[in-house]
């Protein structure tokens, strides 16, 4: 299938399924579960219509660490919101959980460092989306604008983007930034909903939200690889 040549598709028919569901898994795997009676051509068309979404999901799953100092093993320190968390192997949790500065990771993921890393990355992405949605709403209210949608991407060298349609996209790693920088990235993209440029007018909107251009640029200039 165009754009999805590398993917394997695993199909399972489920008697009680009311509708088709599609899950994207690591290493180019798509898992489909289908109600009986769905035709192959229908399914192919459906998957095809989701090509971009599938590629983005997969890219998020496969995002690699660049900083070799960050390890995903028991007792290691992992970055989060500007302060490190202690990675703890936990017996009684079902999903990754934050307790104070301990990041509890369920026992079952400790098959390999890679499996722990995937779980933690997925958790980072959940936190990033929740936090971004929350703060976009706040800054939009301040400026009296609305974003069409908010989503995450695995950007290599940018923190966010705003489309001309009003869609905001953030690098999921914003959740690793210290709070003020995270807030700045969100506020910056929200300001682009009004000014699609980096003019004086744009920076005066940011100033209205409490951000100083040169101070924030200085902070980002000194930013090192987070993960
Ligand atoms: Zn910008």
């Amino acid at each position: 299938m165009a754009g999805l040549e590398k993917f394997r598709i695993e199909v399972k028919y489920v008697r009680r399924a009311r509708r088709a569901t599609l899950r994207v898994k690591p290493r180019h795997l798509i898992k489909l579960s289908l109600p009986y009676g769905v035709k192959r051509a229908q399914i192919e068309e459906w998957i095809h219509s989701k090509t971009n979404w599938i590629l983005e999901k997969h890219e998020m799953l496969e995002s690699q660490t660049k900083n070799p100092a960050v390890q995903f093993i028991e007792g290691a320190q992992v970055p989060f919101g500007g302060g490190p968390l202690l990675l703890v192997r936990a017996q009684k949790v079902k999903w990754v959980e934050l307790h104070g500065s301990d990041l509890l990771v369920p026992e079952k993921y400790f098959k390999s460092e890679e499996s722990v890393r995937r779980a933690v990355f997925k958790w980072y992405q959940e936190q990033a989306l929740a936090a971004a949605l929350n703060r976009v709403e706040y800054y939009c209210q301040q400026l009296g604008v609305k974003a069409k949608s908010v989503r995450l991407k695995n950007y290599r060298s940018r923190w966010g983007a705003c489309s001309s349609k009003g869609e905001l996209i953030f690098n999921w790693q914003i959740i690793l930034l210290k709070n003020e920088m995270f807030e700045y990235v969100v506020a910056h993209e929200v300001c682009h909903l009004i000014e699609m440029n980096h003019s004086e007018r744009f920076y005066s909107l940011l100033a209205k939200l409490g951000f100083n251009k040169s101070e924030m640029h200085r902070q980002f200039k000194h930013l090192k690889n987070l993960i």
Side-chain angles (χ1 to χ4, degrees), residues 158 160 188-189 192 197-198 202-203:
R158 65 188 301 174
H188 183 114
E189 299 309 333
H192 278 319
N197 50 51
H198 293 125
F202 171 80
Y203 282 106

